[in-house]
Amino acid sequence: MKSESMRIKEISLRQDPDLRKELALLARGCDFVLPSRFKKRLKAFQQVQVQTKKEEPLPPSLSQTIPTFYFPRGCPKEKVNIDAVIAKIERTFSQFPNERARLEDMGKVAKACECPLYWKGPLFYCAGGERTGCVSVHKFVAMWRKILQTCHDDAAKFVHLLMNPGCNYLVQEDFIPFLQDVVNSHPGLSFLKEASEFHSRYITTVIQRIFYTVNRSWSGRITCNELRKSSFLQNVALLEEEADINQLTEYFSYEHFYVIYCKFWELDTDHDLYIDPKDLARHNDHAISNRMIERIFSGAVTRGRKAQKEGKLSYADFVWFLISEEDKKTPTSIEYWFRCMDLDGDGALSMYELEYFYEEQCQKLDNMAIEPLPFEDCLCQMLDLVKPQCDEKITLHDLKKCKLANVFFDTFFNIEKYLDHEQKDQFSMLRDGENESQEISDWEKYAAEEYDILVAEEAASDQWNDGDSDFSDY
């Protein structure tokens, strides 16, 4: 009732002719002394306004209406009984002398933490075991309790275990202790125990394969989100179930490492673990064009490392090159070759850039007494193949949508594979592109074939060099 009377009073004030006249004069900037009647009515009007505002309900806070949707450390699950997990860990530690666990004991601790077996190394190192050689139950429990409270999925936990203090991402060096433990303890790598000089080279290969597949941003830093979207942690879990490490072809296969390293060893004639443009040009009998090799050494895909400035390519860079060269259908390989072909870095391949690379292909074909297709005709074929959104340029998005990106790239810088594609009809290539998801990848096919060849060559050489051994024996 009170508010209703105030509302009527407010309306009457606004309709008062004297007040309306005075307000109009004031609005026009007139200089006058307010009459007492006007002051009185204006004061009453202001009081009504203040009381009305007080009675209006405040709108709800935005933070109360919008639910939390961003969980950088994983979406919190239903309440986890942390005390029960800690009690299980404490029972496990009670089995060890002085309730201290060594690295050899950490497999049991990892299981008590409900983690895959090969998290044992990261768990040990994160709790400070590397400094003292063992971990006390109190230190480990404090560390794991904090992780359970702040990290809500496996990706967040794994990153926390491996990362440097103050970081929220993983760099390449962070993986070394974890992978060294895999090398030391996985039954599929037991033959490497006596060949410690190859530990670092195997570890380097696996790290590069991890970043090649997982680090989609090319930043050199793997985030929780990137790890979450990848299959890496599933592969880490499979290490426990699969005794034959060569079955884990995505990251850990020793056979794949062997193929990559042997290919590099053939090119690295002085065996200093670096190769120059002339060395790389010899790969696959000079199949790759010189202009493309120049682009690789320009730093377009090597992040400007120190070795790159000296005009050389490191073994780590060669891992990226070889996988990209033998499988041009993956997102990373498409990005790799697109960066190389994008001469001006504008995010699109112009007709000029395509012609620049095609010119050398034509020269090679002439030297082989093969009449090259005129660039205009080649361009029409490639536009039909890729079907870009704009006919004047080809973008990275266009190539990722295309099922035959490998045919496109080989046309411009790999003469051997270009001729192989030319011998196939377009329908068979399209059929291959559609069936690619059902078969093993081009890289896995290549690695399997090359490994068989290397083993056969090794067996043949053993007949002549009985009793001799080199790195290939491992």
Side-chain angles (χ1 to χ4, degrees):
M1 188 71 183
K2 184 178 179 181
S3 61
E4 182 65 22
S5 63
M6 287 182 178
R7 190 177 67 82
I8 295 170
K9 190 174 182 181
E10 179 186 345
I11 293 172
S12 65
L13 279 168
R14 288 178 177 174
Q15 292 176 347
D16 187 291
D18 293 334
L19 181 61
R20 290 167 66 89
K21 182 178 178 182
E22 298 293 350
L23 287 172
L25 290 171
L26 186 62
R28 290 198 294 269
C30 298
D31 186 16
F32 63 93
V33 178
L34 292 174
S36 59
R37 179 171 172 273
F38 178 70
K39 285 183 179 180
K40 184 179 179 181
R41 287 180 175 270
L42 186 59
K43 186 176 181 180
F45 178 70
Q46 289 172 340
Q47 288 175 348
V48 171
Q49 290 287 83
V50 170
Q51 290 176 358
T52 304
K53 285 181 180 178
K54 284 182 180 179
E55 292 176 6
E56 289 178 0
L58 292 172
S61 173
L62 287 176
S63 62
Q64 296 174 354
T65 58
I66 300 176
T68 304
F69 60 89
Y70 178 56
F71 301 99
R73 288 177 170 263
C75 182
K77 301 174 184 176
E78 295 181 5
K79 191 172 181 180
V80 178
N81 191 341
I82 295 178
D83 290 336
V85 176
I86 296 301
K88 189 176 180 181
I89 293 170
E90 288 174 340
R91 286 196 299 272
T92 303
F93 268 85
S94 67
Q95 303 171 18
F96 310 135
N98 300 319
E99 294 189 325
R100 291 177 176 272
R102 297 170 301 169
L103 182 56
E104 307 89 77
D105 305 320
M106 290 304 294
K108 294 179 180 179
V109 177
K111 287 304 174 184
C113 295
E114 301 177 357
C115 295
L117 176 63
Y118 284 90
W119 285 41
K120 57 191 177 69
L123 287 167
F124 182 75
Y125 299 129
C126 188
E130 191 174 16
R131 294 189 297 272
T132 59
C134 60
V135 176
S136 69
V137 61
H138 303 294
K139 194 162 187 179
F140 186 87
V141 163
M143 179 273 292
W144 192 242
R145 185 186 292 276
K146 179 181 178 182
I147 289 178
L148 290 176
Q149 290 171 343
T150 58
C151 304
H152 306 293
D153 66 1
D154 284 349
K157 291 173 186 173
F158 193 81
V159 169
H160 188 97
L161 288 173
L162 266 65
M163 70 184 187
N164 282 315
C167 297
N168 58 356
Y169 53 81
L170 300 177
V171 296
Q172 295 188 7
E173 292 75 14
D174 296 333
F175 286 86
I176 294 174
F178 157 67
L179 291 172
Q180 185 64 60
D181 180 57
V182 173
V183 170
N184 293 341
S185 58
H186 195 279
L189 295 170
S190 57
F191 63 93
L192 269 182
K193 286 183 180 178
E194 304 301 323
S196 57
E197 66 271 23
F198 292 100
H199 290 189
S200 64
R201 296 168 196 181
Y202 170 78
I203 289 171
T204 297
T205 306
V206 176
I207 288 174
Q208 296 312 312
R209 297 194 70 184
I210 292 169
F211 276 77
Y212 186 93
T213 304
V214 178
N215 188 211
R216 300 296 307 117
S217 63
W218 286 64
S219 65
R221 298 175 174 182
I222 291 178
T223 63
C224 286
N225 196 36
E226 286 180 325
L227 200 61
R228 221 170 265 131
K229 291 178 178 179
S230 75
S231 61
F232 176 70
L233 291 179
Q234 291 89 321
N235 275 262
V236 172
L238 287 173
L239 283 169
E240 178 181 357
E241 302 172 17
E242 184 55 71
D244 183 4
I245 203 160
N246 294 315
Q247 296 300 315
L248 304 178
T249 56
E250 201 166 356
Y251 304 101
F252 299 104
S253 169
Y254 181 82
E255 289 181 359
H256 286 200
F257 153 70
Y258 186 69
V259 168
I260 296 170
Y261 189 67
C262 284
K263 289 295 177 182
F264 184 81
W265 188 263
E266 291 173 7
L267 302 177
D268 182 22
T269 51
D270 58 1
H271 304 315
D272 65 346
L273 295 182
Y274 291 101
I275 57 175
D276 60 25
K278 289 182 180 178
D279 295 327
L280 189 60
R282 292 188 288 108
H283 174 71
N284 200 15
D285 196 21
H286 296 267
I288 307 236
S289 71
N290 291 323
R291 290 183 177 182
M292 179 50 69
I293 289 173
E294 287 175 8
R295 284 296 294 161
I296 293 169
F297 279 83
S298 72
V301 286
T302 52
R303 303 193 194 95
R305 296 188 180 97
K306 182 180 178 182
Q308 185 59 49
K309 294 177 183 177
E310 297 171 356
K312 292 189 176 182
L313 214 62
S314 68
Y315 173 66
D317 291 324
F318 182 80
V319 175
W320 284 62
F321 162 77
L322 188 63
I323 296 175
S324 298
E325 165 57 17
E326 297 305 331
D327 190 350
K328 298 186 177 77
K329 297 175 184 175
T330 66
T332 304
S333 65
I334 293 172
E335 291 165 8
Y336 185 97
W337 296 118
F338 184 88
R339 286 175 176 230
C340 288
M341 292 187 70
D342 185 14
L343 299 174
D344 56 8
D346 67 347
L349 303 183
S350 65
M351 302 305 106
Y352 164 77
E353 287 164 330
L354 299 183
E355 188 173 15
Y356 172 80
F357 286 101
Y358 190 67
E359 281 176 356
E360 188 175 347
Q361 295 290 77
C362 291
Q363 292 171 8
K364 285 191 173 187
L365 290 170
D366 281 333
N367 295 338
M368 299 167 69
I370 299 174
E371 185 179 356
L373 196 66
F375 174 70
E376 292 74 13
D377 295 337
C378 174
L379 182 60
C380 288
Q381 285 186 0
M382 292 301 102
L383 292 176
D384 287 342
L385 186 80
V386 177
K387 295 181 175 58
Q389 291 182 341
C390 176
D391 287 340
E392 296 178 358
K393 61 184 179 180
I394 294 175
T395 65
L396 182 60
H397 179 70
D398 294 329
L399 287 168
K400 285 187 174 180
K401 282 174 55 182
C402 173
K403 298 283 187 182
L404 298 171
N406 59 320
V407 177
F408 173 84
F409 288 126
D410 290 334
T411 299
F412 291 101
F413 56 82
N414 189 311
I415 197 68
E416 295 296 332
K417 292 184 179 180
Y418 167 70
L419 292 173
D420 288 342
H421 297 316
E422 284 293 293
Q423 292 174 2
K424 295 181 181 179
D425 61 88
Q426 193 168 4
F427 292 108
S428 67
M429 288 193 296
L430 286 169
R431 187 169 59 251
D432 291 343
E434 291 170 357
N435 295 334
E436 64 178 347
S437 59
Q438 302 171 6
E439 301 176 359
I440 62 174
S441 69
D442 287 350
W443 164 252
E444 290 177 89
K445 290 177 188 175
Y446 170 82
E449 291 171 2
E450 288 297 319
Y451 183 76
D452 289 342
I453 293 170
L454 290 168
V455 169
E457 289 176 351
E458 182 183 339
S461 67
D462 283 347
Q463 295 177 0
W464 299 96
N465 303 302
D466 198 17
D468 291 344
S469 66
D470 58 9
F471 78 89
S472 60
D473 293 330
Y474 301 103

